[in-house]
Amino acid sequence: MPKKKVAKKPAKKTAAKKTVKKKVAAKKVVKKKRTPNPAFMKPMQISEALSAVVGSKPIPRTEVTKKLWVYIKKNKLQDAVNKRMINADANLKPVFGGKSKVSMFEMTKLVNKHLS
């Protein structure tokens, strides 16, 4: 009768895995959190054309961009085919310099002209 082959038990690796996980966790703690640039946090004066979209109160550039995107998504002004393009409505046309369609990258450039 042939002998039955008995499977060998694998060596215990749990201790090694735990140390690796501890090292990975330690690396995550070491990373420093980026602090925002104070220039971006400075409240900016908003032009009348832009105030129709984001409000007239002075707010930082970052908040202007956030509010603009909320307005664009709420009014479904993002192009359905090419999501990088924004279709201007009556409120956004003066902000975009009279253009009816602007790319999202060009939008930030045009909006900066309305901040002082």
Side-chain angles (χ1 to χ4, degrees):
M1 228 158 105
K3 289 185 179 180
K4 287 185 180 177
K5 289 188 178 180
V6 179
K8 291 183 181 180
K9 291 183 181 177
K12 290 188 178 181
K13 294 181 183 177
T14 55
K17 285 183 183 178
K18 285 181 184 176
T19 56
V20 170
K21 285 182 183 178
K22 285 181 185 176
K23 287 180 183 176
V24 171
K27 285 183 182 177
K28 288 181 183 176
V29 174
V30 173
K31 288 185 179 179
K32 293 181 182 178
K33 190 173 181 181
R34 289 178 50 182
T35 56
N37 187 339
F40 286 117
M41 296 299 141
K42 180 182 169 193
M44 304 291 287
Q45 199 62 37
I46 298 167
S47 72
E48 285 189 34
L50 187 58
S51 67
V53 179
V54 297
S56 59
K57 196 171 91 175
I59 53 176
R61 285 176 200 266
T62 54
E63 290 298 315
V64 170
T65 306
K66 285 178 189 176
K67 287 187 177 194
L68 240 152
W69 274 107
V70 167
Y71 179 83
I72 289 167
K73 299 222 180 201
K74 183 179 124 188
N75 294 311
K76 298 178 181 162
L77 298 175
Q78 205 169 1
D79 194 57
V81 178
N82 187 356
K83 299 271 186 189
R84 288 181 285 182
M85 298 302 283
I86 290 118
N87 301 319
D89 64 351
N91 289 334
L92 283 179
K93 214 166 200 170
V95 176
F96 293 163
K99 295 181 179 181
S100 59
K101 207 172 206 177
V102 179
S103 75
M104 66 172 67
F105 305 110
E106 188 180 2
M107 176 188 76
T108 54
K109 184 174 108 178
L110 294 169
V111 167
N112 280 336
K113 293 178 183 176
H114 293 275
L115 300 173
S116 58

